[in-house]
Amino acid sequence: MTEHAPETNHTWEYEGYEPGGERLREALCTLGNGYMATRGAIPECTADAVHYPGTYAAGCYNRLTSTVAGRQVENEDMVNLPNWLPLRFRMYSPRGDTPWFTPDGGALREHRQHLDLRTGTLERTTRYEADGRVLAVRQVRLVHMGDPHIAALRTEFTAEGGWSGDIEVEAALDGSVTNSGVARYQQLDGRHLVHVNAGDGTADTMWLRCRTSTSDIRVGLAARTTADTGLVEAGTAHEPLRAVQHMRLRLSASEGARTVDKIVALYTSRDPAISDPLHAAIDAVGRAPSFPVLLESHRTAWRQLWRRADLDVPGEAGRILRLHLFHVLQTLSPHTAELDVGVPARGLHGEAYRGHVFWDELFVLPYLNLHLPEVSRALLLYRHRRLPRALNAARDAGRRGALYPWQSGSDGREETQQLHLNPRSGRWLPDHTHLQHHVGSAIAYNVWKYYEASGDSEFLHTKGAEMLTQIARFWADSATYDTDTGRYRILGVLGPDEYHDSYPGSPTPGLDDNAYTNVCASWVLTRALHVLRELPAPRRVELCERTGLDDAELALWEEVSRKLRVPFHAGVISQFEGYGDLAELDWEGYRARYGNIRRLDRILEAEGDTVNRYQASKQADVLMLGYLFSPPELAGVFRRLGYELDDATWSRTVDHYLHRTSHGSTLSGLVHGWVLSRVRREEAWAYVQEALEGDVADLQGGTTEEGIHLGAMAGTIDLVQRGLTGLETRSGALWLDPVPSPRFTEYGFSIRYQGHWGVQLRMCPGSLQISVPPSDMSPIDVRLPDRAVSVEPGDSAVLALGRP
C-alpha cells in the first residue's frame, strides 16, 4: 500500500479573519459528497459582500427569464438551495437586545479554520469577547461521504476567564437565499425558490420545504438540533422563509464546554425511491445517529475513498495536488455514479458559469477512468441521455448527426448565454461561444479513452458506439468540399481559444478551418469507422438499422477523415484560416500598462478595440492537440490527413503560441505544461506551477471565490498520473514513457485498470516499480519505449528506465 505523507500534507489552514479573502476561503473549504456540497462559510454569517454561504445539489437546475440590456434573456442556473448552516449566538439578555456575534462585529479576538483533507471535515475555532467575557467557539462540520443526504455541525461553547452565564443560540434553515454569488450576474433574476414553508417535526426537529419556480424540483430539509448539557430552555419561532429554533444554554468556566449538534438531511424530488422529499428528510434526520457516530462513519467512507484515489507526491506540490484531488472527489464521488449529472465546470462550489457543463470532462475523465470508472461511465451516460436533444440541435442547424451544446444543464439544450458582461467597460456583448462545436469531439474522445482504461466493451458496443456514430456523422455533414484545394473545410466555428469569434470587421461570427476542430473531427471519423468495423455483427447491423448508416455514408467518412484541411503559415500550424494575416500585439506594451493581461479580450474591448485583430489567444487552441495526443499519435493523425508533422514543425508551432497566449483560463497553464512535458521537459515546470496555484492563489483574480476550476484541478493530478509517467492505455496494454523531473524525483499512486484494483506504480530515479494485487485476472502487459513485460497478478516488477 502507498505510504501516506505526514498529516500536515493533508491539511489546509487559515489563520485570522480577512474580509477580502473570505469568499476564496469559502470556496476552497467547501465540503461535499458528490450529491451535494456546502461552501465553507462561517455559520453565523449571512450572504453579503464578504460572505457567501451556498449549498448545491448535483443536477438541480432552474430556468428564469431576465431583462438585460433591453432584451429578454433566459438562463438556467444550478440552484442555491436553502442554507442549512445558520447557527448564531450571543450573550443572553431577557430583553433580547445584545448583538449576535459575527466576525466583523468588533468582538472577534481569534479565528482559525482547519480543513482536514483525509477526513473531509472543516474545523473552526474562534474567540469572541463582550464586556470582558471571552466565549470560545469550536465547530466541526461534515457533509457525509457515506450517506449523501446527511450533513452535520457540532458546536462547542466554552466560557473562558472564569465567568459563568447564559448564551442564546439560534439554529435555522434559511429558504430566503438567492443566486447572487457572482457580481457579473447581478442583473439576472436569481430568485429560484418559491413556496417556502417551515414547521416542526418531532422533538428537537424543524423542517423547511420549497420548490424551484420553473423546473418544479421539490426540496425538503429537516434539522435535528440538540444540546448535551446546560439547556435552560428551547423552542421554535419560525419566520416566513426560515425555520428557526432557539436555545438558551448555561455556561460555566468550571464545567467545560457545552455542545450543540445540528444534524441535517436534504432530499429533492430528483431522488429515486422516495415518495416526498420532505417526508424523506424528516425520516432520515430522525433516524440519523449521534454526531460522533456520524463522524466515525464519515471518516470510514473517506478512508476507503482515499485508498482508491490517493497519490504520494512530496513537498508543497503534493499538498496542493491533494487539495485538488479532494475537491474532485467531493464533486464526483461514487455517489455520482447513481445520478444523472455531468461535470460542472466550477464544481459544486459556487455559481460561476451558472453550474453548467462544458467540455471539462475532457480533463476530468482521464483521472476518473483509472480510479472510479463507474463514475466516468455515469458521466458519459449523462451525454447519452441527451443524445436525442443533440440530434435535434443538429437537425435545427441543417445538419445530420449530433450537435452537442457548448454549455449543457438539465436537459441538454444549448445553455450558452446570449450576452456576456465585460466588467471593464460595463457593456453587454453578444456571446458566440455556442459555435464551439468541438465539444462533440471531446465526448467522442472520452468514450474511447474510457473504454481503453476500463475494458467496458458492453458500453462501447452500445451507447458509446451510438454517440461516436452520430458525432462522426455531424462532422462529415459539416464538411464542405473545396474544389480549389481538393480538401474538405469546416466553416463558421470557434476553437478552444474563445478570444477569436469572427474575422476583423465581419458582421458574421465564426472562423473557418480551426485546426483543432478539423484534426479532432478527422480523429473522430477514423475512430468511429474503427469501432463500427470491430462491432459484433449483430450489433453493427442493429446500429446501422437504427441510424440509417449505409456504405455510401461510411465511404464519405473515410474520404473526409483523410482530406480535412489544416491551415499553415510561416512553417507552423495556423489556429484557423487567416490567422497568420492578423496583426501582432504589443505584448510588452500592454503588460507595462495593465500588469495582468490574462483577460486581454476585456482590456481591448474597453479600449474600443477587439482581440479579433491580433494573433493572441486566451488559452491553448492548436496546442490542445498536444494535450490529447502524444507526438507520435499526433503525427499519425496528420499523416492520415496527408500532412507531414515532423518534430521541427511541432516545436515551431509550440514556440509560436507560447509567445502569443495570455493564459486567461486556468486550463491554459495546465495544457501548456502538459505539451512541454512531452517536447521540452525543462520548460514545463513553470506552467505546471501556474496550474497548481491557479485556484489556491486565485491567479485569475477573483474567479475562484465563485467556484473552483474543476478541470484544472483534475488535470494537474492527471499530469502527474499520465503526463509525467507517459502512461497511456491503448491496444490492451499499459504504455509508460516516464519524464525525468527534478521536482518529483520519487512519487507514486495506484490505479484501477481493466478490472485490476489497486495496481501500484512508483517512479524512482532510474526505475519504475509496478505491483499487481493478487486476483484471477489476466496479466497486465506493460510497454516501455525499449521493451515489453508482463506482470502477473500477485507479482511486482522493478523496471530500469533509460534506453540502451
Side-chain angles (χ1 to χ4, degrees):
M1 179 178 291
T2 302
E3 290 292 322
H4 292 303
E7 200 62 27
T8 54
N9 286 336
H10 290 81
T11 60
W12 211 258
E13 296 190 359
Y14 292 102
E15 293 279 349
Y17 178 73
E18 299 178 6
E22 281 301 304
R23 287 200 176 193
L24 174 61
R25 293 185 186 185
E26 291 169 357
L28 293 175
C29 290
T30 294
L31 296 182
N33 57 25
Y35 172 82
M36 66 173 175
T38 297
R39 287 166 58 88
I42 299 170
E44 59 264 35
C45 296
T46 57
D48 56 22
V50 175
H51 299 281
Y52 194 73
T55 291
Y56 310 95
C60 187
Y61 292 97
N62 191 61
R63 193 177 304 277
L64 294 174
T65 301
S66 309
T67 301
V68 178
R71 295 171 59 177
Q72 293 293 104
V73 175
E74 184 180 278
N75 284 289
E76 185 177 67
D77 296 82
M78 183 171 68
V79 178
N80 183 16
L81 296 178
N83 182 15
W84 66 270
L85 284 177
L87 193 139
R88 61 180 181 172
F89 38 88
R90 61 184 175 183
M91 296 299 182
Y92 173 74
S93 164
R95 297 183 301 277
D97 56 358
T98 55
W100 297 102
F101 286 117
T102 60
D104 53 359
L108 183 69
R109 295 297 174 264
E110 182 182 335
H111 182 66
R112 178 185 298 114
Q113 285 177 295
H114 175 97
L115 177 65
D116 189 326
L117 308 181
R118 187 171 296 288
T119 62
T121 55
L122 179 62
E123 181 176 339
R124 160 274 184 107
T125 56
T126 305
R127 282 178 170 79
Y128 290 110
E129 184 177 353
D131 299 326
R133 296 178 294 176
V134 175
L135 177 65
V137 182
R138 176 180 177 267
Q139 286 181 323
V140 178
R141 180 189 314 181
L142 63 87
V143 175
H144 206 283
M145 186 52 80
D147 186 333
H149 300 280
I150 296 293
L153 179 69
R154 164 162 281 196
T155 308
E156 298 173 352
F157 299 100
T158 304
E160 292 187 347
W163 67 275
S164 298
D166 293 355
I167 62 169
E168 181 182 356
V169 179
E170 179 192 272
L173 300 172
D174 185 4
S176 68
V177 299
T178 63
N179 276 52
S180 53
V182 179
R184 297 183 305 282
Y185 305 162
Q186 292 300 313
Q187 295 183 47
L188 303 177
D189 188 353
R191 189 165 295 279
H192 293 282
L193 301 178
V194 296
H195 305 305
V196 181
N197 294 293
D200 294 324
T202 56
D204 305 320
T205 300
M206 58 185 172
W207 55 259
L208 188 85
R209 67 180 171 195
C210 58
R211 64 180 61 208
T212 56
S213 62
T214 59
S215 57
D216 199 32
I217 298 172
R218 289 171 291 130
V219 181
L221 289 90
R224 188 181 83 213
T225 310
T226 57
D228 62 342
T229 56
L231 183 64
V232 177
E233 59 183 0
T236 56
H238 304 312
E239 301 170 5
L241 299 176
R242 298 170 76 237
V244 181
Q245 181 178 2
H246 290 280
M247 288 183 175
R248 180 178 165 192
L249 295 179
R250 183 147 297 156
L251 304 187
S252 171
S254 62
E255 296 180 6
R258 305 297 193 199
T259 300
V260 174
D261 288 338
K262 182 180 184 182
I263 298 170
V264 178
L266 184 153
Y267 283 81
T268 80
S269 55
R270 298 183 79 246
D271 296 326
I274 64 169
S275 61
D276 177 75
L278 180 58
H279 292 163
I282 292 172
D283 182 65
V285 84
R287 296 176 184 275
S290 65
F291 184 90
V293 175
L294 281 174
L295 180 60
E296 183 57 32
S297 59
H298 172 69
R299 286 172 169 167
T300 297
W302 265 108
R303 184 167 60 249
Q304 294 171 347
L305 192 53
W306 279 117
R307 192 180 299 143
R308 297 169 65 179
D310 204 1
L311 73 167
D312 178 17
V313 176
E316 181 66 8
R319 181 169 170 265
I320 296 174
L321 284 167
R322 288 185 193 92
L323 178 70
H324 288 184
L325 180 52
F326 178 72
H327 286 302
V328 171
L329 295 174
Q330 291 195 118
T331 307
L332 303 168
S333 79
H335 298 300
T336 308
E338 307 300 322
L339 305 176
D340 176 32
V341 298
V343 177
R346 304 299 281 271
L348 300 174
H349 297 62
E351 295 159 16
Y353 301 161
R354 303 176 183 87
H356 291 168
V357 176
F358 293 70
W359 67 332
D360 294 72
E361 65 237 57
L362 188 63
F363 303 91
V364 174
L365 261 64
Y367 174 80
L368 295 178
N369 290 342
L370 292 167
H371 296 272
L372 299 168
E374 67 276 15
V375 177
S376 293
R377 193 179 200 274
L379 298 171
L380 291 170
L381 286 174
Y382 166 87
R383 294 297 193 178
H384 182 264
R385 294 187 188 102
R386 287 149 185 81
L387 179 59
R389 178 72 74 169
L391 295 171
N392 290 337
R395 191 175 300 114
D396 292 344
R399 296 280 186 264
R400 303 181 70 197
L403 172 56
Y404 278 94
W406 175 236
Q407 295 187 33
S408 179
S410 59
D411 62 9
R413 76 182 76 175
E414 179 61 77
E415 300 294 353
T416 300
Q417 61 272 19
Q418 302 167 35
L419 301 170
H420 67 268
L421 176 68
N422 181 356
R424 278 188 175 271
S425 67
R427 287 188 284 267
W428 286 88
L429 308 168
D431 193 310
H432 301 303
T433 52
H434 66 278
L435 295 175
Q436 291 193 72
H437 297 164
H438 60 80
V439 67
S441 296
I443 295 168
Y445 183 89
N446 283 328
V447 166
W448 180 249
K449 291 299 180 181
Y450 164 72
Y451 163 71
E452 287 194 309
S454 68
D456 188 353
S457 58
E458 176 64 24
F459 179 84
L460 179 68
H461 292 166
T462 53
K463 296 175 175 64
E466 191 174 2
M467 285 190 284
L468 274 169
T469 297
Q470 295 292 7
I471 295 167
R473 172 176 271 169
F474 173 79
W475 284 130
D477 198 51
S478 297
T480 302
Y481 186 71
D482 180 11
T483 56
D484 291 339
T485 61
R487 286 194 170 273
Y488 287 89
R489 308 185 67 191
I490 296 176
L491 310 177
V493 299
L494 267 61
D497 163 35
E498 293 188 346
Y499 272 0
H500 297 89
D501 63 0
S502 69
Y503 287 102
S506 173
T508 305
L511 304 162
D512 300 336
D513 292 327
N514 173 257
Y516 175 80
T517 300
N518 287 15
V519 172
C520 287
S522 172
W523 182 90
V524 171
L525 288 161
T526 304
R527 185 55 56 198
L529 288 166
H530 168 81
V531 170
L532 285 168
R533 284 194 299 268
E534 298 298 319
L535 279 179
R539 285 183 164 166
R540 183 169 59 250
V541 169
E542 290 180 3
L543 179 60
C544 290
E545 287 176 343
R546 285 199 311 273
T547 59
L549 269 176
D550 56 27
D551 290 343
E553 185 173 2
L554 295 179
L556 175 64
W557 292 11
E558 181 76 30
E559 181 179 8
V560 174
S561 73
R562 296 180 180 276
K563 291 186 177 181
L564 275 166
R565 184 166 185 271
V566 179
F568 288 78
H569 75 279
V572 305
I573 304 168
S574 293
Q575 187 168 306
F576 50 82
E577 175 61 33
Y579 175 88
D581 298 328
L582 300 179
E584 291 285 5
L585 183 79
D586 179 9
W587 290 91
E588 291 308 314
Y590 272 90
R591 288 192 179 97
R593 289 165 60 189
Y594 292 98
N596 185 340
I597 61 168
R598 292 178 186 274
R599 290 310 305 264
L600 184 62
D601 57 333
R602 293 175 176 174
I603 291 172
L604 289 170
E605 193 278 331
E607 290 184 346
D609 203 348
T610 172
V611 76
N612 284 327
R613 295 181 54 233
Y614 301 99
Q615 294 185 37
S617 298
K618 174 184 177 183
Q619 57 190 313
D621 194 300
V622 172
L623 298 192
M624 269 297 302
L625 295 171
Y627 168 75
L628 295 184
F629 307 109
S630 65
E633 285 181 293
L634 186 58
V637 177
F638 270 73
R639 274 195 302 274
R640 182 180 178 86
L641 286 166
Y643 298 100
E644 191 63 33
L645 183 63
D646 57 23
D647 291 345
T649 302
W650 181 243
S651 182
R652 287 195 303 272
T653 300
V654 170
D655 276 336
H656 184 87
Y657 292 103
L658 278 176
H659 296 114
R660 292 167 176 82
T661 303
S662 70
H663 304 293
S665 164
T666 55
L667 292 172
S668 189
L670 167 69
V671 174
H672 283 79
W674 193 290
V675 171
L676 287 169
S677 73
R678 285 173 159 170
V679 296
R680 288 207 298 278
R681 296 168 174 177
E682 67 280 0
E683 299 177 32
W685 179 251
Y687 293 95
V688 174
Q689 186 72 27
E690 175 166 318
L692 284 172
E693 296 179 355
D695 274 336
V696 172
D698 193 21
L699 295 182
Q700 296 294 326
T703 64
T704 302
E705 67 183 39
E706 303 165 351
I708 55 95
H709 297 82
L710 194 68
M713 283 190 167
T716 57
I717 308 160
D718 190 47
L719 179 61
V720 174
Q721 172 182 264
R722 292 191 309 127
L724 298 183
T725 62
L727 189 156
E728 299 177 59
T729 55
R730 56 183 170 90
S731 304
L734 280 180
W735 299 70
L736 291 150
D737 185 9
V739 177
S741 171
R743 305 282 179 169
F744 300 142
T745 56
E746 184 172 337
Y747 57 95
F749 53 88
S750 66
I751 63 172
R752 182 172 158 193
Y753 172 66
Q754 295 198 355
H756 292 273
W757 287 61
V759 178
Q760 296 284 331
L761 295 169
R762 186 157 200 87
M763 308 302 304
C764 302
S767 69
L768 162 67
Q769 302 173 14
I770 179 168
S771 300
V772 181
S775 73
D776 59 358
M777 303 287 293
S778 300
I780 294 180
D781 290 328
V782 180
R783 308 284 177 86
L784 276 76
D786 58 342
R787 62 198 183 280
V789 298
S790 181
V791 185
E792 296 277 352
D795 285 351
S796 300
V798 178
L799 307 174
L801 300 177
R803 298 170 178 81

